[in-house]
Amino acid sequence: MAVQGRVVSLAVQAALSGATGRSCGYATAPVAADKPTGNTVPYCVLYPLGSVSDGPPFGDADADAKVLVQVTSIGTTAEQAEWMADKVRGALLGRAPGAGFATPVAPAGHVVTGRELDKSDGVTVVSGVYSYIERFALHVTTPGS
């Protein structure tokens, strides 16, 4: 089975909300009903950027892919946006002593085998809204049946 980008993105979104304690929208700002903090700033927004197949042939029962996601941290000040970006990086890249990554990203039917920061653009401001944009690469595989 090929790696399903949507499934991976939803798992990253859930991991970010859980680990940061702040809401994370999926390609849009969170709404008031989103858990845990609704649309209260600071929050982050996850944008799926696609994937590149890797490993076994496409028709093989096992599949590997490098999945790219962008996470934009939003704040009302530069400091707040940077604080949120720090929380996002900690959630996706933080390590637990002797146990790998501190925050599990567990997409159904897939295994995340690696994660890395692909690019960090830092803080920008437009119309009084501060954002901190980062791109992450997740290495994902699907276990054979």
Side-chain angles (χ1 to χ4, degrees), residues 49 69-73 84-86 88-89 117-122 132-136:
L49 298 178
V69 296
Q70 174 183 303
V71 181
T72 303
S73 297
M84 188 67 209
D86 290 343
V88 166
R89 265 191 319 283
L117 179 63
D118 189 57
K119 185 174 185 178
S120 180
D121 287 338
Y132 195 114
I133 298 172
E134 297 176 294
R135 186 170 65 203
F136 296 90

Side-chain angles (χ1 to χ4, degrees), residues 35-134:
K35 302 293 180 199
T37 56
N39 57 3
T40 304
V41 175
Y43 59 79
C44 64
V45 179
L46 174 81
Y47 296 96
L49 298 178
S51 62
V52 178
S53 294
D54 188 18
F58 187 72
D60 199 325
D62 298 327
D64 299 328
K66 179 179 177 181
V67 178
L68 294 174
V69 296
Q70 174 183 303
V71 181
T72 303
S73 297
I74 304 295
T76 55
T77 65
E79 181 182 6
Q80 197 177 53
E82 187 171 25
W83 174 84
M84 188 67 209
D86 290 343
K87 301 272 283 177
V88 166
R89 265 191 319 283
L92 291 180
L93 302 176
R95 299 282 187 155
F101 291 103
T103 303
V105 175
H110 300 70
V111 176
V112 176
T113 59
R115 310 175 201 174
E116 61 189 84
L117 179 63
D118 189 57
K119 185 174 185 178
S120 180
D121 287 338
V123 176
T124 59
V125 61
V126 176
S127 300
V129 176
Y130 291 83
S131 61
Y132 195 114
I133 298 172
E134 297 176 294

